[in-house]
Amino acid sequence: MPKLGMEPIRKAALVNATIAEIGRTGSLDVTVSQIARRAGMSSALAHHYFGGKEGMFLAAMRHVLTLYGAEVRGALAVARGPEARVQAVVHASFSPANFRREVIGAWLNFYVMAQTMPEAARLLDVYQRRLRSNLRHGLRPLVGPRAATVAEALAALIDGVYLRQVLVRGKADRAGAVETVLGVLAAELGRGART
Amino acid sequence: MPKLGMEPIRKAALVNATIAEIGRTGSLDVTVSQIARRAGMSSALAHHYFGGKEGMFLAAMRHVLTLYGAEVRGALAVARGPEARVQAVVHASFSPANFRREVIGAWLNFYVMAQTMPEAARLLDVYQRRLRSNLRHGLRPLVGPRAATVAEALAALIDGVYLRQVLVRGKADRAGAVETVLGVLAAELGRGART
DNA sequence: ACGTTAATTGACCCGTCAATCAACAAAAAA
DNA sequence: TTTTTTGTTGATTGACGGGTCAATTAACGT
């Protein structure tokens, strides 16, 4: 029963289903049919809208990156002062939306994609650049010329803490993640961190 | 022309070929035939020795982990004093052997495996535990009760820096990696880090 | 010599999957 | 009403990949 104006709805459904399936299986070893079935349509329609599996993967990646970007911008908008800006980035990175098992699994596989799909590599590169840039801006007034170095370290730390959650069974540990990163931040700011 | 005592040689060749192929394609999307061809034998023989693809992946993972473990032990053996111990772990983690593109790609995919293969998850867990434990022992005399927390952070940072190399085109940046981690260590030790 | 065992492979089976296509349904336009 | 555009799918195809097996070759022990 074809309704009109289905394209955006179907595309959105497919993108969500793609993320969900990648998260569920923990790998890129998902079939177009699985994704399409979860999104409530035939695999042929998925091909129709995205031209192929790769297109679906990239769309899913763009979507996750867009959500993350929005979350960061939102957090930065209400941050008062440089230190609050850095903390805002950290909190956004580990926000409930980005810290679901599905999404973590998806991220991991984006890195895998980046090894073979140039467009995926480009997208990840944009993410990393933005992350470092955001951190630098907050850090400059705090640590001056060391801002670039510290931003580099914090960015890597965020990714590392994120990666670590892959192995955690059950709910991922948001509070612990934030604490770890902020602990390093505190040390870099020259004050001793709390236990 | 069957020679005797081929088993260990063939197994070793297959393990190396597995790592090489995973590194080359950047994904687990490698066929048994590809691996076997690179190792100079038929795919049937690969199945004969490892029982299947999964067995080959796990063997490759064990091998990488073993090499890494040996490297760490070696570095620790000659380390004088607590701080040197921590630095030894860092240097070993980013040693030339572990920092080749192939191996980095392999590591990334081990995390992917861990999401579906319990044995892979177990192996990675052992690695992470050992890494944290080694760091803690070196850190205890330096930061006392904060050793556990700092070890956690350094371990995550090491993994994050490692992950980051996935996107670097060309040779991975060993010196920069070490510097980033040691910079954070210096900050945690309460001295200001160098630029 | 001779049977036993390790090494080794080509051919094959069975399943799967991405992609295509022809065809149909419904709404919009003419 | 006819035509066009958009939405939709079942069926099909062509390729490929993991795993199995029967059969072959050579070394070894006796």
Side-chain angles (χ1 to χ4, degrees), chain B:
Chain B
M1 313 89 185
K3 305 273 177 60
L4 272 268
M6 279 287 98
E7 178 159 349
I9 288 111
R10 299 249 106 129
K11 279 192 168 178
L14 281 170
V15 162
N16 285 331
T18 303
I19 296 167
E21 280 297 305
I22 292 179
R24 188 178 65 78
T25 69
S27 76
L28 297 177
D29 214 353
V30 289
T31 71
V32 174
S33 302
Q34 280 169 10
I35 297 172
R37 192 172 333 118
R38 178 181 285 243
M41 69 196 80
S42 77
S43 72
L45 197 52
H47 276 96
H48 173 63
Y49 281 127
F50 283 105
K53 200 192 213 179
E54 186 167 315
M56 297 167 70
F57 282 165
L58 287 175
M61 197 165 159
R62 278 193 206 97
H63 186 245
V64 170
L65 254 31
T66 301
L67 286 188
Y68 170 76
E71 196 125 19
V72 171
R73 266 195 307 282
L76 282 177
V78 299
R80 294 273 170 242
E83 185 165 359
R85 288 179 66 85
V86 176
Q87 290 176 348
V89 173
V90 175
H91 275 107
S93 298
F94 299 132
S95 78
N98 298 315
F99 223 54
R100 282 172 320 183
R101 182 149 288 293
E102 303 175 270
V103 179
I104 295 175
W107 269 101
L108 175 59
N109 282 286
F110 291 162
Y111 276 88
V112 174
M113 284 188 225
Q115 307 231 310
T116 40
M117 298 166 37
E119 177 65 6
R122 203 187 60 85
L123 289 174
L124 264 191
D125 197 58
V126 168
Y127 149 73
Q128 288 195 348
R129 276 183 149 66
R130 259 208 311 239
L131 174 56
R132 278 192 300 248
S133 163
N134 284 330
L135 290 171
R136 261 201 319 273
H137 277 76
L139 286 167
R140 189 111 51 200
L142 300 172
V143 298
R146 288 176 50 238
T149 312
V150 176
E152 176 75 27
L154 283 186
L157 180 57
I158 288 172
D159 286 0
V161 169
Y162 210 86
L163 178 62
R164 190 144 296 223
Q165 301 298 321
V166 167
L167 294 196
V168 172
R169 265 169 274 290
K171 276 294 162 204
D173 177 19
R174 267 221 325 289
V178 171
E179 202 181 338
T180 298
V181 178
L182 293 187
V184 170
L185 173 61
E188 289 283 0
L189 295 187
R191 333 161 186 154
R194 97 238 70 138
T195 329

Side-chain angles (χ1 to χ4, degrees), chain A residues 6-18 39 41 50 63:
Chain A
M6 280 286 98
E7 178 158 349
I9 289 110
R10 300 247 107 130
K11 279 192 170 179
L14 280 170
V15 162
N16 286 330
T18 302
M41 71 197 78
F50 283 104
H63 186 246

Side-chain angles (χ1 to χ4, degrees), chain A residues 15-16 19 57-75 92 95 97-98 103 107 110 119 122-124 126-128 130 134:
Chain A
V15 162
N16 286 330
I19 298 166
F57 282 166
L58 288 175
M61 197 166 158
R62 279 193 206 96
H63 186 246
V64 169
L65 255 31
T66 301
L67 286 188
Y68 171 75
E71 196 126 18
V72 170
R73 268 196 305 282
S95 77
N98 298 315
V103 179
W107 270 101
F110 291 162
E119 176 66 6
R122 204 188 58 84
L123 290 174
L124 264 191
V126 168
Y127 149 74
Q128 288 194 349
R130 258 210 311 240
N134 284 330

Side-chain angles (χ1 to χ4, degrees), chain A residues 31 71 93 101 107 114 119 128 135 142 150 157 167:
Chain A
T31 72
E71 196 126 18
S93 298
R101 182 150 290 292
W107 270 101
E119 176 66 6
Q128 288 194 349
L135 290 171
L142 301 171
V150 176
L157 180 57
L167 294 196

